[in-house]
Amino acid sequence: MSVHEEISKKTNKTWGIIQTYRKLDEKREAEIEKVILQCQNNEAFSVDQINKVTEEINSFAAINHLPSRKFVTKQMVEEAAQN
């Protein structure tokens, strides 16, 4: 296999990893926004789904040497809802 093909293969693999990470991060951000809205509307909310996605991101990030994300607490949501 030529050097060009090897570079292309590696680039495509890296691009796929980054795309997967971005999609997980977008899913996490959507969950955070949803929970903040629930809190602002004085509705009951849970951070469980956010942290489930966070766990997925962190597992994926560890394997692929990408940044991890912090787990979210109810207090963090309440603070964000006030801003």
Side-chain angles (χ1 to χ4, degrees), residues 1 3 5 14 17 24 26 31 39 45-46 51 53 55-56 59 61:
M1 192 176 277
V3 172
E5 290 172 334
T14 301
I17 289 168
L24 286 169
E26 288 170 4
E31 289 295 330
C39 183
F45 68 90
S46 170
N51 288 329
V53 177
E55 181 63 39
E56 286 181 63
S59 295

Side-chain angles (χ1 to χ4, degrees), residues 60-78:
F60 186 79
I63 293 167
N64 293 289
H65 309 290
L66 296 167
S68 62
R69 296 291 186 244
K70 290 183 180 181
F71 287 97
V72 176
T73 65
K74 283 192 167 196
Q75 181 181 358
M76 292 166 78
V77 171
E78 290 166 353

Side-chain angles (χ1 to χ4, degrees), residues 23-34:
K23 286 180 182 178
L24 286 169
D25 201 44
E26 288 170 4
K27 182 178 177 182
R28 179 178 181 268
E29 289 300 318
E31 289 295 330
I32 290 170
E33 290 299 320
K34 181 174 83 174

